Amino acid sequence: MSTSEVIVYSDPQLLAAACAARLVTRLVDVQAARGSASLVLTGGGTGIAILRELRNSPARDAVDWSKLDLYWGDERFLPADDDERNEKQAREALLDHVPVDPARVHAMAPSDGRFGDDPDAAAADYARVLAENARPEDHGDVPTFDVTLLGLGGEGHTASIFPETPAVYETERSVIAVRNSPKPPPTRISLTLPAIRRSAEVWLVTTGAAKADAVALALAGAGEVQLPVAGARGQRRTLWLLDRTAAAKTSNVYRPRIV
């Protein structure tokens, strides 16, 4: 299992721009080596800011967007046109502006989609999508994602896996429905921690003083049941990209690199 690397940026805007630049480099390198690449997207203010920076980057066209598989770490189980949907925000920020292959954009079903208001069926279908896109060398029913972007909450949740909820105990399924989420909306679909850990690289990206305790606890080795983000690790690399306020309490447990 990978060890954690922490890089701290002076402000959220610089962090988003730097993460976008890192993504271009990583995706180009993977495509050069293998022909195609895969990326798991996250929502939230920082996650969408990264996509906007990527859209505006002069280097964005170095990525072969037609040979990129896109997934989501979680989704709010809402109608397709709801402004709170991670998919809608990602399309507006980036995907509608680059030549992605629609067949390779793997969105989670909305609540007004073909499964109706049944998040369990939608989650099972997304697990099927993952299994169908896994290769023999992945040795399982989840692709080895090249990069998984994740945010985190102040109480330590990541994707839609909240502390001490059924989601954090899940070990068999790759995708689950989440009900009674502590953070609205109450119904969501999420990758599980075992699915997230199929990623070659996990990038945990967050800003703000409200996240400082969770960041420090995760880096100090907290358990994933109480702090799910502590269980989000890549097979080869786990990269924390933080602004100064989110990293404010890490000095006692980890000496970050400041940019």
Side-chain angles (χ1 to χ4, degrees):
M1 192 66 70
S2 64
T3 56
S4 294
E5 178 185 357
V6 181
I7 302 176
V8 180
Y9 296 92
S10 58
D11 61 70
Q13 184 175 357
L14 180 58
L15 184 155
C19 186
R22 284 177 176 275
L23 269 179
V24 169
T25 299
R26 182 63 187 144
L27 296 176
V28 168
D29 286 348
V30 171
Q31 289 179 336
R34 203 178 64 228
S36 65
S38 60
L39 171 64
V40 179
L41 299 176
T42 186
T46 303
I48 300 304
I50 291 165
L51 299 187
R52 291 195 192 99
E53 290 287 347
L54 190 49
R55 169 187 171 184
N56 295 324
S57 170
R60 80 173 195 193
D61 293 334
V63 177
D64 186 342
W65 295 99
S66 70
K67 295 181 179 178
L68 179 65
D69 283 291
L70 292 159
Y71 302 89
W72 273 263
D74 72 327
E75 184 57 276
R76 295 148 178 171
F77 196 58
L78 297 167
D81 63 352
D82 194 295
D83 290 339
E84 293 301 307
R85 287 266 301 176
N86 291 336
E87 178 198 358
K88 183 178 182 183
Q89 294 177 13
R91 289 186 181 278
E92 292 173 348
L94 174 66
L95 304 185
D96 289 345
H97 308 278
V98 291
V100 294
D101 178 352
R104 300 181 82 157
V105 179
H106 308 291
M108 294 177 172
S111 63
D112 59 351
R114 60 195 178 98
F115 303 105
D117 194 20
D118 185 347
D120 292 298
D125 182 70
Y126 207 69
R128 176 193 59 79
V129 170
L130 296 184
E132 289 180 352
N133 283 275
R135 303 160 298 178
E137 57 266 34
D138 295 326
H139 304 294
D141 58 0
V142 178
T144 302
F145 308 117
D146 293 304
V147 176
T148 292
L149 294 174
L150 291 171
L152 64 136
E155 80 299 289
H157 86 267
T158 193
S160 285
I161 308 168
F162 291 85
E164 299 183 352
T165 61
V168 79
Y169 292 99
E170 180 61 51
T171 59
E172 299 297 326
R173 292 177 290 175
S174 60
V175 188
I176 55 169
V178 174
R179 292 180 171 84
N180 301 314
S181 163
K183 181 179 179 182
T187 307
R188 297 158 174 254
I189 301 171
S190 182
L191 299 189
T192 60
L193 288 175
I196 288 168
R197 290 194 285 259
R198 294 300 304 158
S199 309
E201 299 193 9
V202 167
W203 297 7
L204 293 151
V205 187
T206 197
T207 63
K211 314 296 180 61
D213 284 330
V215 169
L217 287 169
L219 289 169
E224 63 190 44
V225 171
Q226 290 76 31
L227 200 79
V229 70
R233 301 182 298 271
Q235 294 184 22
R236 293 198 292 270
R237 188 185 199 196
T238 304
L239 180 62
W240 291 76
L241 300 169
L242 312 169
D243 75 343
R244 283 183 182 271
T245 56
K249 298 184 179 181
T250 62
S251 59
N252 292 332
V253 296
Y254 198 98
R255 188 177 298 278
R257 179 152 60 95
I258 300 175
V259 177

